[in-house]
Amino acid sequence: VQPAGAESEEMSQEVFRAIGEALKEHDGFTLEHYKDKCAKRRIGIRIRATQSSSPEAYSELVSHSVEERTHLLRVLTIHVSHFFRNPSTFAKLSREVLPPLLKARPDGSEVRFWSVGCAAGEEPYTLALIMKERFAAELARLSLSIVGTDVDAGTLEAAAAARYAPERLEELKERQRERWFTKEGAKFQLVPEIRAMVELRKGDLNDPGAYLFSDLILCRNVLIYFERARQETILLRFADSLSPGGVLVLGKSETLVGQARRRFATVCPVERIYRAV
Ligand SMILES: C[S@@+](CC[C@H](N)C(=O)[O-])C[C@H]1O[C@@H](n2cnc3c(N)ncnc32)[C@H](O)[C@@H]1O
């Protein structure tokens, strides 16, 4: 049995392109390098949510409604994250990767951590918590900057507000929740001391000017949305942005591709930790 209405309609390349152009023209967002199938499925979600009669009708809506473009951009760039996501990765970083990286730095030098596709800030704030809890002495003698960037302005606002539903904090220990958060109704507010350690900025990985010179880059669960060729370009830009011996961390289902494999040595294949060579 065929489902009725727009759901059963295949979106033509023409409509897909028109939607992409509207997003680019009005919002400076490029859909080009995202996997088509993935993007089309997401657009399909909004076609149904707006009860548009056809993909064409939805494309028309996108071209004149700022509100709908905002909704669509949110759906296209999903923002699921939580504190200490993949705890074993952070354990490896804390125990084996960060100590030599920090120790090698002379007093007063700058150390830069960059969390790319930082969603609502869970990842850069996790780095801040680790530094505060385990590397107090290094924090005192070095000048640390932690920057979180994301293409989505809405999610960055959530990151700046730093108020989280309990499920975002599930990997935290009870004492960490008590120490670093204050309960506000059903939510948990991160304390200013940790918030102040992270700078949030809007930035698109497709923009070569948005890359930050760094000693540690976390780019987890972002590359999966891009086509392979684009993944390679992004990874090569990371290699260019890292200091000698700088570290890159990818998501658990992501890996180095193409020429980028020559620019990194594997530190831990399971945790997807690589070092720039
Ligand atoms: C699934 S979340 C990953 C959050 C976090 N890194 C983690 O692993 O828990 C993906 C994030 O990538 C962001 N993103 C998608 N495309 C991007 C782009 N072109 N440039 C920068 N960030 C992007 C999304 O807005 C979203 O917040």
Side-chain angles (χ1 to χ4, degrees), residues 34 77-82 85 116-119 123 149-152 155 203-206 220-222 225-226:
Y34 288 88
T77 57
I78 52 162
H79 314 288
V80 218
S81 188
H82 53 265
R85 180 177 192 173
V116 191
C118 71
E123 192 174 84
T149 61
D150 202 286
V151 72
D152 182 75
T155 205
D204 186 340
L205 277 176
N206 294 312
R220 304 189 308 152
N221 309 299
V222 183
Y225 303 115
F226 293 102

Side-chain angles (χ1 to χ4, degrees), residues 161-164 166 181-190 195:
R163 294 176 78 241
Y164 299 95
F181 294 83
T182 50
K183 189 109 200 285
E184 283 185 9
K187 300 232 171 161
F188 289 84
Q189 172 75 62
L190 183 63
R195 283 159 66 190

Side-chain angles (χ1 to χ4, degrees), residues 122-190:
E122 297 90 337
E123 192 174 84
Y125 290 139
T126 296
L127 289 174
L129 285 175
I130 289 173
M131 290 305 294
K132 203 81 183 172
E133 290 184 339
R134 302 178 74 124
F135 297 98
E138 304 291 31
L139 256 188
R141 71 172 194 90
L142 300 169
S143 160
L144 172 75
S145 82
I146 305 175
V147 181
T149 61
D150 202 286
V151 72
D152 182 75
T155 205
L156 284 173
E157 275 172 31
R163 294 176 78 241
Y164 299 95
E167 59 268 22
R168 302 290 169 107
L169 273 52
E170 268 168 10
E171 301 287 358
L172 289 174
K173 303 207 170 60
E174 185 64 38
R175 58 162 182 80
Q176 289 177 305
R177 242 191 315 249
E178 279 167 12
R179 174 149 189 222
W180 304 117
F181 294 83
T182 50
K183 189 109 200 285
E184 283 185 9
K187 300 232 171 161
F188 289 84
Q189 172 75 62
L190 183 63

